Amino acid sequence: AVGFGLYLMGAYNGLVKLRNRIENALAQIDVQLKRRYDLIPNLVETVKGYAAQEKSVLVAVTEARASATQVKVDASTINDPLKFKEYQDAQNQLSGVLGRLIAITENYPDLKSNQNFLALQSQLEGTENRITEARNRYIQTVQEYNVLARSFPNNLTAMIFGYKVKPNFAVANEAQI
């Protein structure tokens, strides 16, 4: 009984530790996404001065940013597959329109040489790299957690205490890849 109690305690503590790491990793993603959200209005304003005729893309970026900031992320997000998918879809939509915005700059040599635009583009690129790093940490932690929560006999401990498998980020264009 003592051995079983020690095992149960160890398995439970392992699940708690990994769950907390998952929540922390998701919070780090959220911090970087908020940084990206803060850069977008400045980038749009800079491009707007050079590419007024590209209004549809500028509007799409602004709308995607607004939509992405409406999706709130907290610990419950990783326990609700629908909320997690909504969160992921909003981020994918924003990434797509940001890519279109950056592609527009190829048509405007003056914009490409604007120091403000170059600085914003560099900051956005750095932020995208940090988002990728944070997502990779999240993916690795979720993988560790899910293996522990699915492995026998830890799966029994997970089931007793209600620790369910966590969703992971999916590739936006998985079918095409």
Side-chain angles (χ1 to χ4, degrees), residues 78-141:
I78 55 177
N79 295 321
D80 183 346
L82 293 176
K83 280 178 71 175
F84 191 81
K85 181 166 179 10
E86 178 185 351
Y87 165 73
Q88 187 175 356
D89 289 346
Q91 301 314 317
N92 289 339
Q93 180 185 4
L94 181 56
S95 294
V97 294
L98 274 176
R100 286 178 33 213
L101 179 67
I102 298 302
I104 284 175
T105 64
E106 296 302 317
N107 299 329
Y108 300 93
D110 290 344
L111 176 60
K112 288 195 312 187
S113 64
N114 178 289
Q115 292 303 315
N116 190 30
F117 176 77
L118 292 173
L120 288 167
Q121 187 178 18
S122 176
Q123 287 180 28
L124 185 62
E125 184 178 307
T127 300
E128 292 295 333
N129 289 337
R130 286 193 277 281
I131 291 169
T132 300
E133 290 291 323
R135 281 186 179 170
N136 285 339
R137 280 192 297 278
Y138 175 85
I139 289 166
Q140 289 170 351
T141 305

Side-chain angles (χ1 to χ4, degrees), residues 27-88:
Q28 292 303 314
I29 293 170
D30 195 42
V31 164
Q32 296 307 322
L33 291 174
K34 286 178 181 163
R35 177 180 160 82
R36 177 169 71 172
Y37 301 152
D38 292 343
L39 289 171
I40 290 170
N42 296 330
L43 191 63
V44 168
E45 284 303 313
T46 303
V47 173
K48 195 184 287 184
Y50 287 87
Q53 63 270 30
E54 307 287 355
K55 187 176 181 179
S56 64
V57 174
L58 298 173
V59 168
V61 170
T62 303
E63 289 174 353
R65 177 188 179 272
S67 174
T69 58
Q70 294 301 313
V71 179
K72 300 300 176 204
V73 179
D74 56 26
S76 69
T77 304
I78 55 177
N79 295 321
D80 183 346
L82 293 176
K83 280 178 71 175
F84 191 81
K85 181 166 179 10
E86 178 185 351
Y87 165 73
Q88 187 175 356

Side-chain angles (χ1 to χ4, degrees), residues 15 143 145-152 154-156 158 165-166:
L15 289 167
Q143 184 178 14
Y145 172 88
N146 287 343
V147 166
L148 185 65
R150 289 178 177 150
S151 299
F152 183 80
N154 293 330
N155 64 337
L156 300 175
V165 172
K166 303 291 184 199

